[in-house]
């Protein structure tokens, strides 16, 4: 807004009047009052024991739960990303069977609630009491007790990872399809095989489109892990709920858990910003390590 | 009919006589997209070292024919032999067995292609674009590929722009990088699909100069173009294409001066009129 006077037709400077945005002030004030009142109601609530919140914030089980939540999130996201690329490439394959299988996968895992999938994996032993990996027609192989393999942790990782893969496959597919088809033709004309063209030309460029949403996927995964408490995955939410079931301090422990989720989200958001700045415009190096640039042009890459 | 043109066959009657197989030999090539017949029996030949230019109205199938030559489009009828192989098939035990993607890739290594829209790899610098084929297709060591790529860029006059990305280059510069990229594979045959059609008029000459240099060095080239002057000056043969067939072919000067067919005459006069409208 201009504050410097304007020299009018008479030759003398005339000050500029300030516009008062009454509407803005009023709406801000109303919103602040309502928000402040709600916070106040919770904070001063005599039934809420803030001492307990402080007491449990760094409780050993809570901290171990935080750690498990991070582990599950990282592993499930990694599984989802790798599998998602695979499903996307299958989905785009000319082979109609592969393409249909990939579509079926996406439809199934997006079509059923993730909660149902978690419980399904956890209870896999009902269908397959033993998991057997063996070479057909021989006695050579490995065998596990399903209940020992499908702990809360592994079923959480599998359930969340397989589910993410279905969503992520669509992101990857969009990224791959966004790469100009002319470059595919040029790659073929140079003598590349379809696989090499995908790895060397298409995926590095598709990553620019794929990488920004992966940050969001991870952040949402951090919180989706709370569903794991239905299969007792020893994550933050599971441990918090076990504590409040014992001492009945439900609200306090929900606040403790929320504070940790908020902290993890804040850290992940910060890392996401760095990731996007680093790779958003130049995702090439991620796929090929040092990249061609680093190998043939050490100075330019440095 | 012009007897002079008919007697000297493009693709080298002389070549056949001396036992040299032509680089390209098409007979009755047919191709269609679904129900749309695009090539209706194309006969065409190029001998080693020849520059063969293709002209013809839009939609006549010139690009399709060029793309058949390196297997980017499938030949559905007739025979198309390029560099001694029936494109897309190998004769074995009395049958033609279709190629695998690997065999297509191996075949295309020896054929350079330059596209109308450049099609440079957008995530690579000019130098990386040129080094890409040797490194990823031929498995050349990186530093060797780098110095060779630099030589190719020098040859097209772009050494100073080696580190720029395609979007930082003009159209003419991009097309010259694309030519260098194809040359880096040491091809035996170069295919050009309207390499100057997407360029501003003042950038056309720098690309044509590079192509003239190549022709002078004896590169075998098939060039789809609307640059009549280039075809006359550089081409050994000129082929007029319409509705998916070769209408006529001959030495450029003769064909341009005395077209035998009415369609050729009409096409040439429309191209000349366009040129005059652009450059009064
Ligand atoms: N991918 C495609 N699918 C279906 N039809 C196609 C496809 N590509 C080309 N065609 C059709 O095939 C015919 C020949 O196309 P082509 O590109 O070979 O012509 P052209 O002679 O190169 O024309 P131009 O001078 O405009 O480049 C046209 O009628 C075109 O519409
Ligand atoms: Mg064309």
């Amino acid at each position: 807004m201009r504050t410097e006077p304007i020299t009018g037709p008479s030759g003398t400077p005339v000050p500029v009047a300030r516009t008062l945005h009454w509407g803005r002030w009023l709406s801000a004030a109303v919103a602040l009052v309502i928000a402040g009142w709600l916070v106040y109601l919770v904070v001063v609530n005599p039934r809420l024991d803030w001492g307990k919140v402080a007491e449990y914030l760094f409780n050993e089980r809570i901290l171990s739960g935080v750690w498990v939540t991070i582990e599950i999130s990282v592993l499930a996201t990694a599984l989802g990303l790798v599998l998602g690329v695979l499903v996307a490439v299958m989905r785009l394959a000319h082979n109609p069977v592969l393409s249909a299988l990939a579509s079926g996968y996406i439809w199934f895992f997006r079509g059923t609630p993730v909660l149902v999938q978690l419980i399904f994996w956890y209870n896999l032993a009902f269908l397959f009491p033993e998991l057997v990996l063996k070479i057909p027609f021989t006695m050579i192989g490995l065998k596990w007790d399903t209940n020992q393999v499908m702990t809360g942790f592994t079923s959480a990782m599998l359930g969340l990872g397989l589910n993410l893969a279905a969503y992520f496959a669509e992101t990857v597919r969009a990224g791959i399809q966004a790469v100009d088809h002319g470059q595919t033709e040029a790659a073929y004309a140079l003598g590349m095989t379809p696989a090499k063209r995908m790895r060397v030309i298409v995926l590095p460029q598709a990553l620019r489109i794929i990488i920004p949403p992966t940050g969001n996927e991870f952040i949402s995964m951090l919180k989706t892990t709370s569903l794991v408490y239905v299969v007792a995955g020893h994550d933050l939410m599971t441990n918090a709920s076990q504590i409040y079931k014992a001492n009945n301090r439900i609200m306090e422990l929900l606040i403790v858990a929320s504070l940790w989720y908020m902290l993890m989200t804040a850290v992940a958001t910060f890392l996401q910003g760095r990731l996007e700045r680093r790779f958003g415009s130049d995702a090439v190096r991620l796929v090929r390590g040092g990249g061609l640039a680093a190998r043939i042009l050490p100075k330019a890459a440095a | 009919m012009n007897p002079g043109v008919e007697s000297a066959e493009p693709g080298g009657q002389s070549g056949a006589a001396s036992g040299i197989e032509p680089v390209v030999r098409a007979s009755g090539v047919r191709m269609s997209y679904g129900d749309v017949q695009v090539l209706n029996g194309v006969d065409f030949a190029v001998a080693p070292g020849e520059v063969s230019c293709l002209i013809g109205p839009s939609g006549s199938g010139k690009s399709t024919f060029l793309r058949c030559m390196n297997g980017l489009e499938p030949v559905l009828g007739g025979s198309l032999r390029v560099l001694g192989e029936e494109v897309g098939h190998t004769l074995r035990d009395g049958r033609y067995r279709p190629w695998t993607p690997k065999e297509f890739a191996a075949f295309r290594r020896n054929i350079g292609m330059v596209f109308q829209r450049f099609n440079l790899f957008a995530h690579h610098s000019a130098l990386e674009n040129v080094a890409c084929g040797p490194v990823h297709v031929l498995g050349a060591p990186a530093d060797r590929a780098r110095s060779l790529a630099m030589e190719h860029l020098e040859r097209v006059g772009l050494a100073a722009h080696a580190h720029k990305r395609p979007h930082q280059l003009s159209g003419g510069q991009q097309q010259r990088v694309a030519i260098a990229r194809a040359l880096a594979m040491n091809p035996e045959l170069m295919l050009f699909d309207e390499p100057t059609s997407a360029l501003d008029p003042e950038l056309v000459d720098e690309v044509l100069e590079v192509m003239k240099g190549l022709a002078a060095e004896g590169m075998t080239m098939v060039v789809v173009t609307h640059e009549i002057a280039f075809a006359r000056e550089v081409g050994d043969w000129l082929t007029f294409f319409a509705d998916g067939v070769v209408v006529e072919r001959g030495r450029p000067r003769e064909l341009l001066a005395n077209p035998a067919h009415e369609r050729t005459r009409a096409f040439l006069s429309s191209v000349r009129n366009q040129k005059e409208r652009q450059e009064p």
Side-chain angles (χ1 to χ4, degrees), chain B residues 62-63 116 193-194 224:
Chain B
K62 308 178 297 292
S63 299
Q116 184 173 352
D193 190 0
E194 301 196 35
V224 175

Side-chain angles (χ1 to χ4, degrees), chain B residues 144 165 254 265:
Chain B
R144 172 127 185 78
R165 291 282 182 86
E254 293 167 26
R265 219 167 291 146

Side-chain angles (χ1 to χ4, degrees), chain A residues 180 182-183 185-194 196 200-201 204-205 208 282 284 288 292-293 295-297, chain B residues 67 72 101 105 108 111 113 115 119-124 127-128 131-132 135-137 142 146 163 165 181 185:
Chain A
D180 171 29
Q183 294 186 41
E185 300 214 315
Y188 285 151
L190 271 185
M192 290 192 194
T193 56
K196 182 151 277 177
V200 176
I201 303 301
Q205 296 187 66
R208 288 169 213 203
D282 201 354
V284 187
R288 299 206 326 252
L292 191 60
R295 274 184 282 136
I296 23 187
L297 291 172
Chain B
R67 293 159 58 82
L72 281 180
R108 291 183 186 125
I111 303 172
M113 188 165 208
F115 301 86
N119 295 352
L120 291 181
F121 304 134
H123 60 310
H124 282 333
L127 188 72
E128 288 168 332
C132 192
V135 168
H136 290 291
V137 178
R146 180 207 173 190
H163 307 314
R165 291 282 182 86
R181 175 176 68 180
M185 296 292 287

